[in-house]
Amino acid sequence: MCKNHDTHLTIYEDGSVLLEYICPVIFTSKCGNYNYKVFINSLLPSIQLNPDVLKFDDDSQIPDELMGELNGIADKITTDICWNQGDILMIDNTRIMHGRKAFRDETREIYIRLCSPAFQF
């Protein structure tokens, strides 16, 4: 599975696993008949969790200034969703950057379903 998805898998003697995936953060969308560029926004939260792991393909660090600029752009185009009880939101995460903000409602339930669409774009 890793070979088919350009991912390198290393399993260490202690049972830990390292996955390496190298790809551009901007690429041409594969959705529909459109030819437009999309940004892989998983870089934004991932670099906060693993700053020493995510690097450029030449193994150099991604500068804090660049990450600050990318986060600033993301903040400018962010739209909050005003949720009401019973609301459902469906998004195509290959076309829309999405994220979550912290909340403190311990009675709130969030259900997430990751899937491929059952319809044509």
Side-chain angles (χ1 to χ4, degrees):
M1 182 177 193
C2 289
K3 287 180 185 178
N4 291 337
H5 293 91
D6 299 322
T7 302
H8 178 71
L9 171 68
T10 304
I11 302 174
Y12 295 101
E13 288 183 19
D14 66 358
S16 62
V17 174
L18 171 67
L19 284 175
E20 293 178 284
Y21 178 68
I22 299 174
C23 69
V25 295
I26 297 174
F27 63 95
T28 302
S29 173
K30 298 176 185 171
C31 293
N33 297 325
Y34 305 105
N35 185 14
Y36 59 92
K37 301 292 184 190
V38 294
F39 172 71
I40 299 177
N41 69 313
S42 58
L43 172 67
L44 300 179
S46 298
I47 202 156
Q48 292 174 7
L49 298 171
N50 302 295
D52 297 330
V53 175
L54 294 171
K55 301 177 182 180
F56 286 118
D57 65 352
D58 66 358
D59 210 33
S60 64
Q61 296 291 328
I62 300 173
D64 290 340
E65 298 81 27
L66 176 59
M67 293 310 303
E69 185 176 347
L70 291 172
N71 280 307
I73 292 168
D75 286 343
K76 285 180 185 176
I77 61 174
T78 294
T79 300
D80 290 333
I81 305 294
C82 296
W83 292 97
N84 293 302
Q85 185 173 350
D87 283 353
I88 295 173
L89 174 66
M90 294 176 62
I91 62 168
D92 176 351
N93 69 352
T94 65
R95 296 179 182 204
I96 298 173
M97 285 186 16
H98 61 285
R100 292 162 207 82
K101 293 184 179 178
F103 63 90
R104 297 208 180 268
D105 183 353
E106 294 181 14
T107 63
R108 182 178 171 191
E109 295 181 42
I110 296 178
Y111 299 92
I112 299 173
R113 172 77 169 121
L114 302 175
C115 62
S116 296
F119 50 84
Q120 291 270 233
F121 287 102

